[in-house]
C-alpha cells in the first residue's frame, strides 16, 4: 500500500517536472540561440540540491518540485549582474522580435510536448476504435439550453430528443434550426422524447436584433446517444462529492434516487434536481451492485446539483466473428452486429465470459435497428465472439497528426472554459489549484500510466495557454510589452515594467493561495 502511494507520488512529480522543464527549456533554448546570457537554469524552487556549471550557465535541481525558472541577464533589473555581461548578451538590448521569440518559446514548447505525449499514447496504447455507426439513424438532440431564452422558459431540457417540429419529423439538426430561424415571434410546436415519454412544448422563438432570425437558446446536435440505456462513469473529480462518497471510475449506474438509469441526460437531470439532498446511487462494480449515498452540491451558476462526475454511454463493440454452436450463435448474434452493452454493463476486454447462466445483450443490427438478445449458457463460459479491439496503434506520422488534432481540441476546450469563466457560467468548484491538480493527477495515476500521460498532455496545453494570457507576470503580458516596444521604437522603462509584473505576480500568488485554501477545504470536506 505504502509503496503504491510512493510510486504514484513519484510518477506525478516526474510528470510535473517534465511539463515545467519543457516550458523553461523553450525560454532557455531561444535565449541561447539569440545570444542572451543565462546564468541559471533551474528545475524546482528553493535551495539547490544538485547542479553543475557548463558554458556560463549553472544547471540546478532545487528542493521543491513546484516550478522552475530560466534566469536571463537583463530580464529583470540587476545592475550588479548586468555589469559583468557585455551589452550584446543582455536580454534588455535585444530587438523586440528576439525578445518575443524567447518569451513565446516557453508556451510553444508546452504545445509541442502535448503533441508528443498524445502521439506517444497513440503509438503505444493506440487510438480509440469505435465501430462504424453510419447506418444508425441520427436524431436531433438538445445538448443544453441557456437561461433567459425561450427554450428554457418553454420547458425544454438538455437530453431531450426532438421527434417532430410543427407535426413534421425533422430530417436533421439544420432542418430544426431553419424552422426556428424562419419563425421569429410565432409559436412553434416541438414534440420531444424525454425518459421514454413524448411531450409537446410550445415555444416562441425570439427575434434577434442583428439578423431578425428566430432564436430559442438551445444547442442542438445529431446524436445516436438515444440508443444507449446504460450509463457509465467517464470522469470523476477526486475532490468532489461523488468520489468522496465512494463512486469509482467505470462504475455502471443502475439507478439514481430510486429511478432506473435510462440514459446520460436522465441521470444528469436527477442529480441536478437534488442539490444539497442525500440521494442513493446504485452502481454495478465488478459484477456486484453497491449503493452509494451522495449529496450533490448546489452550483450557484447553473442552479443544479453536482457530484463532480461526467457520465457517458458504454463503448459499443463490433462483432467480427461468431463461433458456431456458441452461446452467442444460439442467441442469434451475427457478424457485423454492434453490441451496445453487455448485460447492462460496459466491457473493454476481448474475451467475454458469461457472468451468469442468462444475460441480455443490447445490439444494433443494420436494417433491423436496436435488438435485445437473451444469451444462455454455463456461468463462466465464453460468449463465443471475436470483438473488434477497442484501440488500434498508429504509426509515427499518423500519431503526430492525431496528437496535433487532440492538442488543438484541448486548446478549444480551454478557450471555451475561459470564456465561460469570464461570463460567470463556470462554478468555482470546477477550478483547481495546486492541491486539486495533484489530487486529480494522483487519481489518473491510479487509473494507469496512459491516463496519467494524457492528463499531463492536457496540463501542458493549459500551462501554455494560461501563460499566453496578457496578465502581468505571465509570458503573454511580456509579449504585449515587447510588441509595444516595437511600435514606439524604444525600450520600455525597466523599473516600471518590473513593478507592473511584480504587482501581477502578487495578485497571482494571492489567487493561488485562495484556490489552495478552497481545495484543502474540499479535500477535508469542510
Amino acid at each position: 500500500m505504502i509503496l503504491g502511494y510512493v510510486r504514484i507520488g513519484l510518477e506525478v512529480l516526474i510528470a510535473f517536472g517534465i511539463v515545467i522543464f519543457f516550458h523553461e527549456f523553450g525560454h532557455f533554448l531561444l535565449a541561447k540561440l539569440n545570444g542572451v546570457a543565462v546564468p541559471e537554469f533551474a528545475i524546482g524552487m528553493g535551495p539547490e540540491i544538485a547542479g553543475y556549471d557548463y558554458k556560463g550557465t549553472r544547471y540546478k535541481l532545487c528542493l521543491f518540485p513546484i516550478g522552475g525558472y530560466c534566469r536571463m541577464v537583463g530580464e529583470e533589473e540587476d545592475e550588479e549582474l548586468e555589469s559583468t555581461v557585455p551589452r550584446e548578451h543582455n536580454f534588455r538590448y535585444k530587438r523586440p522580435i528576439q525578445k518575443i521569440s524567447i518569451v513565446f518559446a516557453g508556451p510553444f514548447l508546452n504545445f509541442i510536448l502535448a503533441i508528443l505525449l498524445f502521439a506517444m499514447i497513440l503509438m503505444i496504447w493506440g487510438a480509440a476504435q469505435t465501430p462504424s455507426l453510419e447506418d444508425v439513424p441520427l436524431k436531433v438532440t438538445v445538448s443544453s439550453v441557456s437561461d433567459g431564452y425561450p427554450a428554457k422558459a418553454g420547458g425544454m431540457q438538455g437530453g431531450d430528443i426532438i421527434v417532430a417540429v410543427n407535426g413534421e419529423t425533422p430530417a436533421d439538426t439544420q432542418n430544426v434550426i431553419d424552422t426556428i430561424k424562419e419563425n421569429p415571434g410565432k409559436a412553434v410546436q416541438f414534440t420531444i422524447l424525454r425518459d421514454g415519454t413524448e411531450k409537446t412544448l410550445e415555444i416562441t422563438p425570439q427575434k434577434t436584433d442583428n439578423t431578425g432570425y428566430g432564436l430559442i437558446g438551445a444547442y442542438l446536435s445529431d446524436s445516436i446517444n438515444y440508443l444507449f440505456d446504460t450509463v457509465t462513469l467517464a470522469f470523476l473529480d477526486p475532490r468532489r462529492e461523488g468520489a468522496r462518497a465512494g463512486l469509482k471510475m467505470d462504475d455502471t449506474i443502475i439507478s439514481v434516487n430510486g429511478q432506473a438509469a435510462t440514459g446520460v441526460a436522465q441521470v444528469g437531470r436527477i442529480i441536478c434536481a437534488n442539490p444539497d439532498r442525500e440521494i442513493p446511487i446504485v452502481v454495478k462494480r465488478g459484477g456486484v451492485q453497491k449503493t452509494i449515498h451522495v449529496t450533490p452540491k448546489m452550483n450557484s451558476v447553473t442552479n443544479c446539483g453536482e457530484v463532480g462526475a461526467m457520465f457517458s454511454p458504454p463503448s459499443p463493440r463490433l462483432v467480427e466473428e461468431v463461433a458456431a454452436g456458441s452461446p452467442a450463435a444460439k442467441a442469434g448474434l451475427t457478424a457485423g452486429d454492434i453490441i451496445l452493452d453487455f448485460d447492462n454493463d460496459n466491457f473493454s476486454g476481448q474475451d467475454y465470459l458469461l457472468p451468469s447462466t442468462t444475460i441480455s445483450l443490447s445490439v444494433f443490427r443494420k436494417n433491423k435497428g436496436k435488438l435485445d438478445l437473451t444469451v444462455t449458457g454455463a456461468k463462466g463460459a465464453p460468449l463465443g465472439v471475436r470483438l473488434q479491439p477497442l484501440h488500434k496503434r498508429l504509426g509515427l506520422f499518423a500519431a503526430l497528426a492525431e496528437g496535433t488534432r487532440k492538442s488543438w481540441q484541448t486548446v478549444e476546450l480551454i478557450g471555451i472554459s475561459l470564456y465561460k469563466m469570464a461570463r460567470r457560467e463556470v462554478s468555482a468548484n470546477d477550478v483547481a489549484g495546486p492541491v486539486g491538480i495533484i489530487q486529480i493527477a494522483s487519481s489518473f495515476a491510479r487509473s494507469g500510466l496512459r491516463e496519467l500521460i494524457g492528463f499531463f498532455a492536457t496540463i501542458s496545453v493549459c500551462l501554455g495557454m494560461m501563460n499566453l494570457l496578457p496578465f502581468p507576470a505571465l509570458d503573454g503580458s511580456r509579449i504585449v510589452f515587447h510588441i509595444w516596444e516595437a511600435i514606439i521604437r524604444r525600450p520600455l522603462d525597466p523599473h516600471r515594467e518590473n513593478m507592473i509584473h511584480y504587482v501581477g505576480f502578487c495578485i497571482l500568488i494571492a489567487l493561488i493561495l485562495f484556490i489552495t485554501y478552497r481545495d484543502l477545504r474540499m479535500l477535508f470536506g469542510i
Side-chain angles (χ1 to χ4, degrees):
M1 178 69 75
I2 294 176
L3 289 177
Y5 284 120
V6 170
R7 177 187 63 80
I8 289 170
L10 287 174
E11 287 178 353
V12 171
L13 286 177
I14 291 171
F16 269 118
I18 292 172
V19 171
I20 294 166
F21 170 80
F22 263 72
H23 182 91
E24 296 302 328
F25 184 69
H27 295 314
F28 172 81
L29 183 62
L30 266 291
K32 287 287 190 179
L33 289 175
N34 283 286
V36 176
V38 183
E40 293 180 327
F41 179 72
I43 297 296
M45 305 291 281
E48 177 184 328
I49 57 176
Y52 68 96
D53 296 296
Y54 181 72
K55 291 188 177 181
T57 300
R58 178 70 177 174
Y59 298 88
K60 305 195 302 182
L61 181 65
C62 298
L63 181 61
F64 303 110
I66 55 174
Y69 61 89
C70 170
R71 188 183 181 199
M72 296 179 285
V73 174
E75 186 181 23
E76 298 178 353
E77 285 187 292
D78 190 335
E79 293 182 1
E80 183 179 348
L81 177 62
E82 291 183 42
S83 65
T84 64
V85 176
R87 184 185 178 100
E88 61 267 23
H89 296 307
N90 190 313
F91 177 84
R92 183 174 298 119
Y93 300 108
K94 292 296 180 179
R95 298 193 311 276
I97 189 64
Q98 292 176 299
K99 295 178 183 179
I100 291 170
S101 68
I102 292 169
V103 175
F104 179 72
F108 179 73
L109 250 67
N110 278 128
F111 297 132
I112 296 299
L113 173 61
I115 293 171
L116 294 176
L117 291 177
F118 280 130
M120 180 192 303
I121 292 172
L122 297 167
M123 292 175 66
I124 297 175
W125 288 281
Q129 185 175 227
T130 57
S132 173
L133 294 168
E134 294 177 357
D135 299 308
V136 179
L138 299 173
K139 292 190 178 181
V140 182
T141 304
V142 181
S143 300
S144 62
V145 293
S146 299
D147 290 331
Y149 286 91
K152 185 71 174 277
M156 192 172 280
Q157 298 181 12
D160 288 347
I161 298 171
I162 299 176
V163 296
V165 180
N166 285 336
E168 297 184 4
T169 303
D172 53 27
T173 294
Q174 190 59 49
N175 183 223
V176 177
I177 292 173
D178 288 342
T179 302
I180 294 169
K181 289 169 66 176
E182 293 165 3
N183 288 278
K186 300 177 184 177
V188 177
Q189 301 288 330
F190 291 90
T191 303
I192 60 102
L193 183 66
R194 181 188 301 163
D195 302 338
T197 303
E198 284 194 0
K199 298 183 178 182
T200 299
L201 307 175
E202 185 174 285
I203 299 173
T204 302
Q206 69 182 42
K207 188 175 182 179
T208 55
D209 296 331
N210 54 343
T211 63
Y213 290 140
L215 177 72
I216 65 170
Y219 296 92
L220 309 177
S221 64
D222 293 322
S223 175
I224 62 168
N225 282 352
Y226 69 91
L227 283 176
F228 298 93
D229 299 322
T230 302
V231 181
T232 64
L233 258 174
F235 172 74
L236 197 61
D237 187 335
R239 306 169 300 151
R240 300 290 305 279
E241 298 73 27
R244 291 207 303 266
L247 291 176
K248 294 186 181 297
M249 288 284 288
D250 296 325
D251 279 350
T252 298
I253 309 300
I254 303 300
S255 69
V256 182
N257 202 28
Q259 298 182 48
T262 58
V264 171
Q266 179 239 15
V267 168
R269 278 196 295 270
I270 298 172
I271 293 172
C272 171
N274 289 277
D276 302 323
R277 289 194 292 268
E278 184 180 278
I279 58 174
I281 299 180
V282 179
V283 303
K284 184 188 285 187
R285 184 185 304 162
V288 178
Q289 289 193 9
K290 298 177 179 288
T291 300
I292 311 293
H293 293 275
V294 186
T295 303
K297 185 172 183 178
M298 169 65 85
N299 183 326
S300 58
V301 176
T302 61
N303 292 320
C304 262
E306 294 182 347
V307 297
M310 291 178 62
F311 303 97
S312 72
S315 302
R317 306 298 301 275
L318 174 66
V319 177
E320 294 184 331
E321 185 179 339
V322 179
S326 65
K330 293 175 182 178
L333 202 64
T334 62
D337 284 348
I338 296 172
I339 301 177
L340 302 175
D341 69 59
F342 293 76
D343 204 30
N344 297 317
D345 208 348
N346 199 13
F347 179 66
S348 58
Q350 287 299 113
D351 300 314
Y352 185 80
L353 304 179
L354 300 183
S356 60
T357 56
T358 303
I359 68 164
S360 64
L361 294 179
S362 184
V363 173
F364 178 82
R365 181 174 297 167
K366 184 177 180 180
N367 299 326
K368 293 286 187 180
K370 185 176 178 181
L371 305 173
D372 290 316
L373 303 180
T374 300
V375 181
T376 58
K379 183 179 179 180
L383 177 61
V385 297
R386 187 178 76 233
L387 300 172
Q388 181 188 59
L390 270 178
H391 295 90
K392 180 181 180 181
R393 291 182 181 178
L394 301 184
L396 175 61
F397 295 110
L400 288 173
E402 183 65 14
T404 302
R405 189 185 68 83
K406 283 182 174 290
S407 297
W408 179 248
Q409 284 182 332
T410 306
V411 168
E412 290 180 325
L413 181 61
I414 294 172
I416 292 170
S417 299
L418 291 173
Y419 173 75
K420 288 186 175 181
M421 286 176 63
R423 290 175 55 89
R424 298 177 60 84
E425 294 178 6
V426 174
S427 169
N429 293 329
D430 296 324
V431 180
V435 173
I437 292 173
I438 290 173
Q439 275 188 278
I440 297 170
S442 300
S443 176
F444 277 101
R446 283 190 286 271
S447 297
L449 186 58
R450 178 180 65 184
E451 287 73 16
L452 181 66
I453 293 173
F455 174 71
F456 274 99
T458 303
I459 288 292
S460 191
V461 173
C462 189
L463 179 62
M465 284 195 67
M466 296 303 290
N467 264 282
L468 288 176
L469 293 177
F471 188 87
L474 298 178
D475 292 336
S477 70
R478 297 181 187 276
I479 291 173
V480 170
F481 282 127
H482 298 321
I483 291 174
W484 180 246
E485 178 186 340
I487 293 172
I488 65 175
R489 296 179 180 275
R490 69 173 184 272
L492 300 172
D493 180 355
H495 178 70
R496 285 186 179 180
E497 182 181 346
N498 287 330
M499 180 56 67
I500 292 172
H501 290 313
Y502 176 74
V503 172
F505 177 76
C506 291
I507 293 173
L508 286 174
I509 291 298
L511 181 62
I512 290 171
L513 289 175
F514 171 75
I515 296 175
T516 300
Y517 167 73
R518 199 210 61 225
D519 281 346
L520 289 171
R521 291 193 61 180
M522 293 177 68
L523 175 64
F524 295 108
I526 301 175

